[in-house]
Amino acid sequence: MRTLMGSADDSTGFLLQTAPGVYNEEAFRALDQIIEDASRSGVKLILAFTDNWHLQDGLFQYVAWANSTQTGDFFTDPAVIQLFKNHITNVVNRTNTLNSRQYKDEPAIFAWDLINELRDGCNTSAPNATCDPSFTASVQTWIEDLSAFVKEQDPNHLVTVGEEGFYGPGSPDLDKNPSPGEGQWCSLTGQNFTQNHAPDSIDFAAVHIWPDLWTIKDPVTFIGSWLTSHIDNARSLGKPFIVEEFGKSLSKRDPGTIAEVRNPIFKVVYDQLSDSLDSDGYFKGAAFWQYSYIAGKTDENAVFFNESTWTDIIKPAADKAVQAVQSRPALANCVPGPLRSTIGGPASATAGRR
């Protein structure tokens, strides 16, 4: 399961970090609770240190704190970078008030995302954003620096980038982008998937898939190609690959719409995952956005456990994933934890992001 650690919107009522190095203890205790609940339930968490899309607890806030003017300064300005490094240090050394474990020693934490969906190049939602192809090199330097820093602070957990997985200038896979070719918006975000995940301090490769937001006309075909391309890249790097986040927005939630509009997208992801697990391939997991059990107003991407997306696609895929893992011997010096399915017990590795 994957979650942000800070505020998920731009309200100021429940920030994690209210000023540089100053934390809202109530918000931190809520994060303590999430981690402790995960620990007791056998759930593993991917936690993102910050977010690209919101001012509060996000990229823009660090830029503002350092009195910078460009969003790209988050990746290049030494003062901004130091503020972010200070935050990473504070987080990994946090002692959970419920179990007395520091986060860096917490078994329920599976991995850290450096940032959720890093962007600058053509981020039209960002003030003063640029479209400079050379910015991709600056982002690569930042990834190498920050991932190594996280490893120094916390050698116990895995690290990945947290990006969507776009290919940047000069990549031989530019034709796989949502908008193919040089000079298109997705090639100028600062991301360059294969290069970004190459450093030794990045442990596994990960992408997000949002065909609605990327205005994909044939999402099933696109997703199949997107997955195949990135799995091939991960294989070339010798690193496991996961889908951290994907989904399908629904304006109507009737069974027919769910079966016709959303299920084919989930099916193509989990079919490829199942095939990979059968062959012990590089595709190791997929987390959808988002699981919900609360009636009433909810995210248009929410999946409920009584919908066919869950019963016909997610649960069988989760059961198969558990069986595949249990059928293989544990790695040397590894003590496996309990693995249970999606109904009646902790969620498996295919469960949705919170």
Side-chain angles (χ1 to χ4, degrees):
M1 181 176 286
R2 179 170 175 267
T3 183
L4 300 175
M5 287 188 288
S7 176
D9 57 35
D10 285 327
S11 65
T12 58
F14 204 62
L15 303 182
L16 179 63
Q17 190 175 191
T18 58
V22 179
Y23 292 88
N24 176 356
E25 180 61 20
E26 184 182 4
F28 237 144
R29 285 175 180 263
L31 184 56
D32 290 346
Q33 185 70 64
I34 290 171
I35 293 171
E36 176 62 7
D37 288 347
S39 178
R40 292 180 178 181
S41 301
V43 172
K44 302 298 184 182
L45 298 171
I46 298 176
L47 300 176
F49 284 117
T50 192
D51 180 37
N52 171 70
W53 297 110
H54 300 290
L55 170 62
Q56 309 299 341
D57 282 325
L59 175 158
F60 306 137
Q61 184 64 81
Y62 288 96
V63 172
W65 280 336
N67 297 315
S68 292
T69 59
Q70 302 283 343
T71 56
D73 290 345
F74 181 80
F75 303 98
T76 58
D77 187 314
V80 181
I81 292 171
Q82 189 59 54
L83 288 176
F84 187 49
K85 285 183 174 180
N86 293 345
H87 172 62
I88 290 171
T89 299
N90 291 333
V91 167
V92 301
N93 288 290
R94 163 77 176 183
T95 298
N96 193 313
T97 56
L98 297 173
N99 61 30
S100 299
R101 290 191 294 269
Q102 289 186 302
Y103 284 12
K104 64 185 177 184
D105 297 321
E106 175 55 63
I109 296 175
F110 173 74
W112 303 107
D113 274 354
L114 297 180
I115 182 174
N116 178 53
E117 298 183 348
L118 70 86
R119 297 278 193 96
D120 183 70
C122 276
N123 181 359
T124 56
S125 70
N128 304 316
T130 63
C131 286
D132 182 1
S134 66
F135 184 73
T136 306
S138 299
V139 170
Q140 182 65 27
T141 299
W142 180 89
I143 290 171
E144 293 170 3
D145 178 28
L146 268 294
S147 58
F149 179 79
V150 174
K151 287 291 189 180
E152 291 172 0
Q153 299 297 307
D154 174 9
N156 300 321
H157 291 107
L158 303 178
V159 177
T160 194
V161 181
E163 64 183 42
E164 290 109 318
F166 301 131
Y167 297 106
S171 169
D173 296 306
L174 280 169
D175 61 320
K176 303 299 192 306
N177 272 340
S179 296
E182 292 277 5
Q184 299 299 314
W185 68 269
C186 39
S187 70
L188 298 173
T189 57
Q191 299 178 26
N192 199 0
F193 174 79
T194 308
Q195 186 181 35
N196 294 164
H197 292 88
D200 290 341
S201 47
I202 296 295
D203 296 295
F204 62 96
V207 301
H208 302 177
I209 310 173
W210 289 108
D212 289 337
L213 299 177
W214 301 343
T215 62
I216 302 298
K217 294 181 180 179
D218 182 357
V220 171
T221 300
F222 170 79
I223 291 171
S225 175
W226 184 253
L227 289 173
T228 298
S229 176
H230 287 83
I231 293 167
D232 288 344
N233 300 145
R235 183 182 298 109
S236 73
L237 295 171
K239 296 184 179 183
F241 167 78
I242 70 169
V243 176
E244 282 191 326
E245 181 182 323
F246 77 100
K248 181 70 180 82
S249 177
L250 292 177
S251 57
K252 297 190 299 180
R253 307 195 68 85
D254 61 279
T257 300
I258 290 171
E260 181 180 352
V261 177
R262 184 173 67 194
N263 285 4
I265 287 174
F266 277 63
K267 188 175 187 302
V268 70
V269 173
Y270 285 118
D271 279 355
Q272 284 200 235
L273 174 60
S274 294
D275 289 345
S276 178
L277 292 175
D278 283 343
S279 61
D280 198 18
Y282 280 82
F283 188 7
K284 299 297 188 182
F288 62 90
W289 173 278
Q290 66 180 354
Y291 169 70
S292 184
Y293 58 92
I294 301 173
K297 185 178 180 181
T298 187
D299 191 302
E300 290 184 349
N301 296 289
V303 177
F304 291 86
F305 69 87
N306 60 349
E307 294 174 336
S308 61
T309 309
W310 182 277
T311 59
D312 298 352
I313 300 173
I314 296 168
K315 184 181 184 301
D319 292 340
K320 188 171 183 179
V322 169
Q323 293 167 5
V325 172
Q326 289 177 331
S327 69
R328 296 191 178 97
L331 296 175
N333 302 316
C334 176
V335 179
L339 287 170
R340 282 173 276 176
S341 184
T342 52
I343 300 297
S348 78
T350 56
R353 168 185 154 187
R354 180 165 180 154

